[in-house]
Amino acid sequence: MKINQLSVFLENKPGQLSKPCRALAEAGINILTLSLADTQQFGIMRLIIHQWAKAKAVLEKAGCVVKVTEVVAIEVSDRPGGLAEVLEGIEAAAINIEYMYAFTFRSGDKAIIIFRFDDPDGAIRALQSKGINVVGNVGLYDRAAV
Amino acid sequence: MRLWPESSARAESEKPRMKFPFENRIWDQAEIMPVADRRQLQLQRLAELVARLGSVPFYKQAFARTGLGPEKIKSLDDLRRLPITTKADLREHYPLGFLAVPREKVARIHGSSGTTGKPTFVAYTAGDLETWAQLCARFLVAGGLQPEHTVHIAFGYGLFTGGFGLHYGVERVGAAIVPAASGNTPRQLMLIQDLGAQVLVCTPSYALQIAETARSTGLDPAKLPLEFGHFGGEPWTEDMRLQIERELGILAFNNYGLSEVIGPGVSGECAARTGMHIQEDHFIVECLDPDTLQPVEPGQPGELVFTTLTKEAFPLIRYRTRDIARLDDSPCPCGRTTARMDRVIGRTDDMLIIRGVNVFPSQVEEALLRVEGTAPHYLIEVDRPGAMDEVTVHVEIRPQDFSDKMSQMQSLREQIDREVHAVTGLRMQIKLVEPQTLERSAGKAKRVIDHRREKGLI
Ligand SMILES: [Zn+2]
């Protein structure tokens, strides 16, 4: 149910973004999606990768600071109001969203959004009880492979 | 050796209260001699020193200029009339112009790395080497060393005085030595584990690197056999001591010395750890204002200036160390009657003047260590792009403190910012950088880049 996300610390200097990407490319590891959070002083790159454990080792070998966090992938109808419905459901369950970002690919008429909750297990239970489709590991990576 | 000295009135009054983490041992009775007796010994040795120095051209000329001679040394206050010696004087008389014995009496030559060009050399007679070993034995024993211990020495063995100085001190005490020297930290870890060293000797920053390397290989550094650490060779902070002690699970002791004075062994901590006992039967210490060269008020920080009373090959009068520290001659519960120096808080030439404020790199280090989750690896970069000085502190984050949450990382940065401001009184730009990217070594770490100097602005 939960998906392992890799976060990489980025110093604010030229070449910082390409370093981890190049390391992964050289190891033949495909990045399914990535999102970037940055300030003037530093940044955090978040990556969704099927072979996350291998990717972590590759990145660490390249000198990156890497952290694994569990995030939740949720299917959202790709139509006006689709995301609002899901967010309302999360709100109603009184779950705090740390951050979220959209997956770069769609699945049919659905978009996939990655959510970072403090308590992913609690969030999954609450969301499922509200009929919101939480995408599992296998499902996600299968779709990504399409 | 007896546990408590009986000859010292100072120690008597304090005796029952202090609880030591291990048995308090005294290596040499000279450490506990009555203060008045020691002053008498100092005076006698000072007059002998001045007589011996007539053979060194630098001092011979200075004495001739000022009309000083051994017969003029009537009290210890007369020391103040003797000339000051500086590192520049030693450089001017490169390589061994201060030698006070015939060359064939020299048994060893060490040197300190110069930041510019050639090293400064110092020489030892066989007698000097024995004195040096004894002085190192004193602080090692004060800090818990016992003959049954195994000591891992991760100081460089070479011109640098750290390795050989501690080596012979440990040997005098009768403990076993693993002369690992510096470098190849994974191998050092293996040696410590496999040979079961209880005592670690190196620079404090290298002790932290050993802990870091242990962790990175999945080894809990606190589970190493180490129990004691004797650290020196670079200035460090009290917070850094706590971190070393927590991470390696040891008692960490500070020792001090510089090659020009003799090397390590000039002073070192006892079990009370309230400053480093200065071996005053061999050295006279002064604490002077670096600008006026007048004594500072008691207890105030000043530049330490040493006179070597007993050195044969390379004796120096009033040698300016450029190290800033405080002196304390209050009684110590350990019973030693010697004055103590606090840890070195900076170097006169490390002192940065930023927007008119005096700042020592050690203050930045202290601030960083107050913020939990910041390893003490940092680099201070000073520049003056316009009219104002700007300072950037590069701080390595530790992998375990990295969070995917921006808010948490921002708050770490802000906390560092606040502490740096609180300690130095200055606003500095804080830049978080990846671990292991700032330069470090088993010797002295590079802490400051001052672009103002390159630009000729200071
Ligand atoms: Zn003491």
Side-chain angles (χ1 to χ4, degrees):
Chain A
M1 283 310 203
K2 290 167 290 181
I3 292 160
N4 287 315
Q5 167 195 267
L6 300 184
S7 302
V8 179
F9 175 78
L10 300 175
E11 279 177 41
N12 183 15
K13 69 177 184 198
Q16 277 295 290
L17 193 54
S18 56
K19 181 175 99 174
C21 297
R22 200 181 315 114
L24 291 173
E26 277 165 12
I29 295 170
N30 187 30
I31 301 169
L32 296 184
T33 199
L34 72 79
S35 118
L36 206 59
D38 67 341
T39 67
Q40 275 216 311
Q41 289 84 20
F42 64 91
I44 301 169
M45 182 167 65
R46 299 165 185 139
L47 301 159
I48 302 292
I49 291 169
H50 191 179
Q51 301 163 275
W52 64 270
K54 184 180 168 197
K56 180 172 186 278
V58 166
L59 289 168
E60 282 173 345
K61 195 148 177 275
C64 298
V65 190
V66 188
K67 190 182 167 82
V68 182
T69 347
E70 291 179 330
V71 293
V72 181
I74 296 173
E75 259 186 1
V76 176
S77 298
D78 193 11
R79 57 173 168 77
L83 178 60
E85 276 166 28
V86 172
L87 290 176
E88 277 157 19
I90 293 170
E91 221 166 88
I95 301 162
N96 181 41
I97 303 169
E98 281 291 338
Y99 55 81
M100 52 183 266
Y101 54 94
F103 232 68
T104 41
F105 67 89
R106 285 146 195 247
S107 138
D109 61 344
K110 306 270 188 175
I112 292 174
I113 312 262
I114 299 289
F115 284 86
R116 165 75 156 94
F117 303 110
D118 264 339
D119 170 16
D121 293 311
I124 288 169
R125 274 195 305 278
L127 292 169
Q128 282 175 333
S129 75
K130 298 216 176 295
I132 293 170
N133 189 17
V134 177
V135 187
N137 250 332
V138 177
L140 180 72
Y141 297 133
D142 280 354
R143 282 178 235 196
V146 172
Chain B
M1 275 183 261
R2 72 182 154 233
L3 181 51
W4 288 107
E6 284 151 26
S7 57
S8 164
R10 271 183 182 182
E12 285 295 312
S13 59
E14 295 278 332
K15 174 163 105 177
R17 280 183 285 277
M18 180 87 191
K19 182 101 169 65
F20 290 114
F22 52 87
E23 192 188 350
N24 175 46
R25 289 165 188 264
I26 308 285
W27 175 253
D28 192 322
Q29 296 302 303
E31 298 173 73
I32 54 171
M33 72 195 290
V35 173
D37 293 1
R38 188 184 291 112
R39 288 181 66 85
Q40 193 53 46
L41 179 65
Q42 285 184 324
L43 178 59
Q44 178 204 324
R45 287 180 166 175
L46 181 63
E48 287 166 8
L49 171 70
V50 171
R52 280 192 286 135
L53 284 177
S55 65
V56 177
F58 175 84
Y59 290 118
K60 191 178 175 182
Q61 286 160 20
F63 296 156
R65 246 192 342 265
T66 52
L68 284 166
E71 70 288 348
K72 297 279 175 63
I73 306 296
K74 301 283 182 228
S75 83
L76 284 177
D77 291 336
D78 292 327
L79 177 71
R80 299 275 313 282
R81 299 159 60 200
L82 293 173
I84 290 274
T85 313
T86 65
K87 181 108 172 171
D89 295 327
L90 300 188
R91 282 216 192 88
E92 229 169 88
H93 295 82
Y94 181 88
L96 290 168
F98 275 77
L99 200 60
V101 294
R103 183 63 190 257
E104 62 267 24
K105 295 275 185 210
V106 172
R108 196 180 317 150
I109 295 168
H110 278 284
S112 62
S113 55
T115 41
T116 49
K118 293 183 167 176
T120 311
F121 293 118
V122 291
Y124 301 77
T125 63
D128 290 334
L129 291 175
E130 182 54 31
T131 302
W132 188 19
Q134 290 294 335
L135 296 183
C136 288
R138 286 187 189 181
F139 78 74
L140 287 164
V141 166
L145 184 65
Q146 303 212 24
E148 55 270 32
H149 282 150
T150 294
V151 183
H152 183 96
I153 300 182
F155 265 138
Y157 279 72
L159 280 179
F160 172 59
T161 48
F164 282 105
L166 270 292
H167 183 98
Y168 289 106
V170 173
E171 204 171 80
R172 288 300 177 283
V173 178
I177 300 169
V178 180
S182 53
N184 196 344
T185 314
R187 185 169 158 273
Q188 304 250 7
L189 268 173
M190 178 199 78
L191 292 173
I192 292 170
Q193 268 193 305
D194 295 355
L195 299 175
Q198 295 93 348
V199 183
L200 175 64
V201 168
C202 59
T203 60
S205 58
Y206 197 62
L208 283 176
Q209 191 173 343
I210 287 176
E212 207 170 270
T213 306
R215 267 198 313 277
S216 73
T217 55
L219 191 73
D220 179 358
K223 297 228 166 81
L224 291 169
L226 298 171
E227 294 168 25
F228 298 93
H230 290 276
F231 305 116
E234 66 187 11
W236 49 313
T237 63
E238 201 52 37
D239 289 319
M240 197 164 167
R241 174 180 356 232
L242 293 176
Q243 191 185 355
I244 290 171
E245 293 197 332
R246 192 178 56 234
E247 295 198 1
L248 286 171
I250 61 173
L251 284 170
F253 293 86
N254 195 5
N255 65 74
Y256 172 82
L258 63 170
S259 61
E260 296 88 335
V261 178
I262 201 161
V266 174
S267 67
E269 281 180 321
C270 65
R273 300 199 294 181
T274 53
M276 295 177 275
H277 286 278
I278 299 168
Q279 308 301 351
E280 289 181 293
D281 48 331
H282 293 273
F283 310 104
I284 298 179
V285 64
E286 297 171 86
C287 188
L288 306 181
D289 180 310
D291 291 326
T292 64
L293 293 178
Q294 295 303 306
V296 297
E297 291 296 315
Q300 289 303 303
E303 181 177 352
L304 300 185
V305 172
F306 286 96
T307 297
T308 68
L309 294 173
T310 53
K311 265 172 72 186
E312 296 168 346
F314 215 80
L316 296 176
I317 286 182
R318 306 188 77 198
Y319 181 72
R320 289 187 66 170
T321 61
R322 297 182 291 176
D323 287 328
I324 304 281
R326 292 180 176 84
L327 294 184
D328 178 5
D329 62 0
S330 67
C332 183
C334 75
R336 287 175 184 81
T337 52
T338 43
R340 283 158 292 163
M341 55 179 276
D342 205 352
R343 57 179 62 252
V344 171
I345 60 165
R347 310 254 311 149
T348 54
D349 41 11
D350 279 351
M351 191 173 80
L352 292 163
I353 304 177
I354 295 164
R355 288 170 233 148
V357 179
N358 294 352
V359 180
F360 289 104
S362 62
Q363 292 176 294
V364 171
E365 187 161 325
E366 187 189 328
L368 292 176
L369 281 151
R370 282 191 195 175
V371 182
E372 206 193 12
T374 307
H377 291 296
Y378 64 93
L379 179 71
I380 302 166
E381 196 178 1
V382 190
D383 202 356
R384 192 182 294 163
M388 292 284 278
D389 293 330
E390 284 182 11
V391 190
T392 306
V393 185
H394 302 257
V395 184
E396 284 188 5
I397 65 159
R398 301 189 303 184
Q400 65 265 41
D401 301 313
F402 171 52
S403 166
D404 63 312
K405 296 182 192 172
M406 195 43 109
S407 56
Q408 216 163 307
M409 295 304 288
Q410 291 277 37
S411 107
L412 174 68
R413 220 190 121 259
E414 283 158 17
Q415 228 181 315
I416 295 172
D417 188 46
R418 267 198 306 279
E419 291 294 347
V420 167
H421 183 242
V423 175
T424 65
L426 286 170
R427 282 272 168 231
M428 301 187 185
Q429 169 92 254
I430 308 301
K431 192 169 189 290
L432 301 179
V433 301
E434 289 184 335
Q436 307 288 344
T437 52
L438 299 178
E439 187 190 315
R440 73 197 64 181
S441 64
K444 300 184 185 200
K446 187 172 180 68
R447 301 299 197 198
V448 178
I449 296 179
D450 198 335
H451 297 295
R452 298 174 305 177
R453 201 172 293 279
E454 300 149 25
K455 292 178 180 174
L457 295 170
I458 53 166

